[in-house]
Amino acid sequence: MTLPEAAEELVRLGTGFHNRGWMLGTSGNLSAVVSRDPLRLAITASSIDKGRMNPRQILEIDNNGKVLQGAEGRPSAETLLHLEVVRSMGASAVMHTHSVWTTVLSDYYHADSGFSIEGYEMLKGLDGVQTHEHREWIPILENSQDMAALASQVRALLAERPKTHGLLVRRHGMYTWGKDLATAARHVEILEFLMEAVGRRRMMEPT
Amino acid sequence: MTLPEAAEELVRLGTGFHNRGWMLGTSGNLSAVVSRDPLRLAITASSIDKGRMNPRQILEIDNNGKVLQGAEGRPSAETLLHLEVVRSMGASAVMHTHSVWTTVLSDYYHADSGFSIEGYEMLKGLDGVQTHEHREWIPILENSQDMAALASQVRALLAERPKTHGLLVRRHGMYTWGKDLATAARHVEILEFLMEAVGRRRMMEPT
Amino acid sequence: MTLPEAAEELVRLGTGFHNRGWMLGTSGNLSAVVSRDPLRLAITASSIDKGRMNPRQILEIDNNGKVLQGAEGRPSAETLLHLEVVRSMGASAVMHTHSVWTTVLSDYYHADSGFSIEGYEMLKGLDGVQTHEHREWIPILENSQDMAALASQVRALLAERPKTHGLLVRRHGMYTWGKDLATAARHVEILEFLMEAVGRRRMMEPT
Amino acid sequence: MTLPEAAEELVRLGTGFHNRGWMLGTSGNLSAVVSRDPLRLAITASSIDKGRMNPRQILEIDNNGKVLQGAEGRPSAETLLHLEVVRSMGASAVMHTHSVWTTVLSDYYHADSGFSIEGYEMLKGLDGVQTHEHREWIPILENSQDMAALASQVRALLAERPKTHGLLVRRHGMYTWGKDLATAARHVEILEFLMEAVGRRRMMEPT
């Protein structure tokens, strides 16, 4: 995949997520591996308006986050987390969205460090899941502005739970990923759906 | 109806349902009878991205689910359920959506094996219903990955309740159908509306 | 206003209301006065799919509901209610929508025969209202399939409360109107907004 | 920035906010500074339909609210508040939206004269905020039709709390602003998101 190809696809996906209210304002960032060896990542520039994305705002970086190509801006502050997920999971694309429901659940279940989603057919949209009887644990990390520390927590978490498909950062949003761009984008829709369903189900019987 | 005509219409409907959040990710599937004798069904291929459907992903199958025409993919895993509904109800189109509200209600009312919707004017949008005083029972089946077993439960259920317009599979979604494509598509909108209304009404007075 | 002008505008408005989820399936109907003396009303044909409206589905009727012009279908079953509102209020356009929130509130407040909305700035969008301190009473009528009886209740209600801007029919939806098409369409948006706000506010402090 | 440039951008933003349900009917108004010395403000005309905005409905006014240019209508009744925010905060653009969630929260927290939002990553989308640990106080003013009195309250409030990014008027809506149009528009999306998140979080654990 070339940088222009990745840029076109990330802009299309980002605009769609913005329209659904999952990346409002300048929130969220998306990346895709354009080369594995050496590692080259296409990633959204920092602080861009997700309602007006254009391909010039997609940058190519190396495995240290250094910009190699790209017309506008600097890489997202969360670049370290994207690189960590790419390395830990062998992912080819990483998506970080900020929807209302993921934000609400990341706070509601924070004291338990996560929550499980089980018995939903939609779980089969997660890569490698064959049955709705699957139990998916959604880990929640405390938010931090220290990206190196957060990346290190992500690494430890994913080493301990290598079958994870997505994680939440408290009052912040969701990270998910995939073996290719289409899988990562599908994981966004699947997990956003499941979290809205879990949240509304909970509200039918408030504790 | 020819396969290309059915394909064009199923893509249009599927894209619209995706945009409303009723078929996110790869969830959901749609079918339409293209010939009655012998039975030929146009059906969405398995695992396609509902946000990027194209007519090549609509397959023509026979009454055993064998693919006769179609460029991409294999038939949906739920083909058996579509065929069962076509045979049991004499339906000409079957729609399976995965919205948040149908998913939530399919779980909330599961212990009762269903719930009734009564007194809503919107019920008159269901084929053959003449008054809001109609009581529509929405059956809920336990989810299963054994499609033959699930199809057999659907057959028994529809034999017992032949006036059913739609059913839920627990934590999975809704099946509805109609005597033609337009009726089936209208049933999706009517039932999705009614379930959101029932769900929100319940939340006004939580038990 | 000619029939083609009214038809174009009603199709534009109806499609927009459908897209917002306020006229799903075949629900809802819209009308506009094309001539006052003799009375001629442009009105949506019965049972049309609100997601695929076209101008041929707008009919011209006289003050008895008899069709004078129009290519497709027969007038909406609720024609009598439209004619009643036009006569009682001197309205030039009548809009009947079926949103989830109006449906839910029409049931929730039914025992009180209505509810009041007071103190909202958005009330100033209602024709003739100058301050948010206005108290708008939203009457709720029991639903019925006897349109003559329902029209007669509407007449009595509007005679008693001539400053009403909209009313609900239980588990059915909303009627609103205006001195011209733009005012009636604005009333739809204003009242839909207010009812969602009232409903969500109530849910913040369930009784 | 010229009046035509400001008009084009305000129409684009207003139409987008209308589509999200944040400026339904004729609610809401937007402004942008086109010249600082002497002060010239481009502002939406009063009572325009936000679903059908056009650039002719954007007026240029001076620091007394007198219209200098513009084809249609008179300035919004809330012009005094826009001018007050421009002067108090040195803002270059002011946005007043009427969403359901800001309306609901403006009432729910009214007795406390406001509420704080703390710990949300999305807060970093507010100009000058560097960390999610920021605590943003959202002041709530009682609504009034006396715009001079309301403007004077806004002045006092902003003098006391000069780091405020947005404020609510009870059962009315939100005002936010920015050092340029893009910042003000981003603040709308950021604050609307945060208020929906705060509202839904509250509903997960009703008091």
Side-chain angles (χ1 to χ4, degrees), chain D residues 104-138:
Chain D
V104 167
L105 292 189
S106 73
D107 190 55
Y108 186 75
Y109 288 114
H110 176 254
D112 304 326
S113 302
F115 59 100
S116 60
I117 305 179
E118 188 176 6
Y120 287 93
E121 181 73 9
M122 195 67 101
L123 288 162
K124 288 169 65 187
L126 299 176
D127 201 33
V129 175
Q130 303 295 333
T131 167
H132 66 285
E133 289 167 359
H134 173 75
R135 173 185 280 203
E136 180 78 19
W137 176 255
I138 309 289

Side-chain angles (χ1 to χ4, degrees), chain C residues 61-72:
Chain C
I61 61 171
D62 69 12
N63 64 344
N64 295 310
K66 190 184 150 200
V67 179
L68 304 178
Q69 281 196 69
E72 289 182 18

Side-chain angles (χ1 to χ4, degrees), chain B residues 59-162:
Chain B
L59 312 176
E60 183 172 321
I61 61 173
D62 68 12
N63 64 343
N64 294 310
K66 190 184 150 201
V67 178
L68 304 178
Q69 280 196 69
E72 290 181 18
R74 54 191 179 75
S76 166
E78 279 133 341
T79 295
L80 280 180
L81 297 188
H82 284 254
L83 287 167
E84 189 56 57
V85 171
V86 165
R87 280 188 292 248
S88 293
M89 305 303 283
S92 289
V94 182
M95 313 257 140
H96 171 39
T97 53
H98 281 234
S99 74
V100 167
W101 283 106
T102 57
T103 301
V104 166
L105 292 189
S106 73
D107 190 54
Y108 185 74
Y109 288 113
H110 175 255
D112 304 328
S113 302
F115 59 99
S116 59
I117 306 180
E118 189 176 5
Y120 287 94
E121 180 73 10
M122 195 66 102
L123 288 162
K124 288 169 64 188
L126 300 177
D127 201 33
V129 174
Q130 303 295 334
T131 166
H132 65 285
E133 288 167 0
H134 173 75
R135 172 185 281 204
E136 180 78 18
W137 176 257
I138 308 287
I140 303 174
L141 294 174
E142 184 55 83
N143 196 17
S144 169
Q145 298 305 320
D146 180 342
M147 287 300 136
L150 202 49
S152 147
Q153 286 182 58
V154 166
R155 187 183 326 129
L157 176 73
L158 296 178
E160 194 190 347
R161 295 179 173 275

Side-chain angles (χ1 to χ4, degrees), chain C residues 9 12 20 118-122 124 130-132 186 189-190 193 196-197 200-201 203-206, chain D residues 18-19 24-27 52 98-101 103-104 107-108 143-145 171-172 200 202-203:
Chain C
E9 194 63 5
R12 188 186 70 81
R20 288 203 181 270
E118 188 176 5
Y120 287 93
E121 181 73 10
M122 196 66 102
K124 288 169 64 188
Q130 304 294 334
T131 166
H132 65 286
R186 191 180 76 228
E189 294 202 356
I190 296 291
F193 174 91
E196 182 178 341
R200 291 199 188 276
R201 180 68 186 84
M203 288 175 70
M204 298 288 287
E205 286 170 313
Chain D
H18 175 267
N19 290 344
L24 290 180
T26 50
S27 76
R52 309 196 82 181
H98 281 235
S99 73
V100 168
W101 283 105
T103 300
V104 167
D107 190 55
Y108 186 75
N143 195 17
S144 169
Q145 298 305 320
R171 291 187 176 180
H172 183 158
R200 290 199 189 275
R202 186 101 291 280
M203 287 176 69

Side-chain angles (χ1 to χ4, degrees), chain D residues 169-185:
Chain D
V169 183
R170 188 185 185 193
R171 291 187 176 180
H172 183 158
M174 176 172 74
Y175 277 86
T176 185
W177 49 82
K179 65 186 173 196
D180 51 35
L181 251 175
T183 303

